[in-house]
Amino acid sequence: MRAHLGDQLVVESNRSEATRREGEIVGLHHVDGTPPYDVRWSDTDEVAFVFPGPDAHVQCTEQRKHAEQRERGASGATRVPAEPHLHEV
């Protein structure tokens, strides 16, 4: 897993009582973009030191912007979003 500042860390869960969690990567501890990361969680606005587990992936900021543009489309109608590009784990 590799990330850049501004990318999103997304944590999925197989458990029904747990929800998906997203946060912006605001700090890197290795030049090559490997974990751990400092993540500002979108649900609490708190920054945490995170070692992502197997249920996490990085969504690139640039790709997220392109996906949002594709969702809106030329007509302004919402379309089904394309699957995000995942960094290699």
Side-chain angles (χ1 to χ4, degrees):
M1 177 180 295
R2 296 184 190 280
H4 296 91
L5 291 178
D7 286 350
Q8 293 287 311
L9 181 67
V10 179
V11 181
E12 307 282 357
S13 179
N14 294 342
R15 300 185 338 215
S16 60
E17 67 273 6
T19 59
R20 173 182 167 126
R21 196 163 191 210
E22 298 180 18
E24 179 184 359
I25 296 173
V26 296
L28 300 173
H29 294 268
H30 299 285
V31 176
D32 65 355
T34 56
Y37 306 122
D38 293 328
V39 177
R40 181 180 311 280
W41 295 112
S42 60
D43 58 346
T44 63
D45 204 36
E46 293 181 8
V47 176
F49 183 70
V50 179
F51 284 92
D55 56 347
H57 65 269
V58 173
Q59 185 173 353
C60 299
T61 304
E62 187 174 315
Q63 291 167 338
R64 189 175 65 253
K65 288 179 185 175
H66 290 287
E68 290 170 357
Q69 289 172 347
R70 283 193 304 271
E71 286 177 32
R72 285 192 294 272
S75 67
T78 302
R79 298 184 334 192
V80 176
E83 187 171 334
H85 171 75
L86 307 180
H87 287 278
E88 288 186 26
V89 176

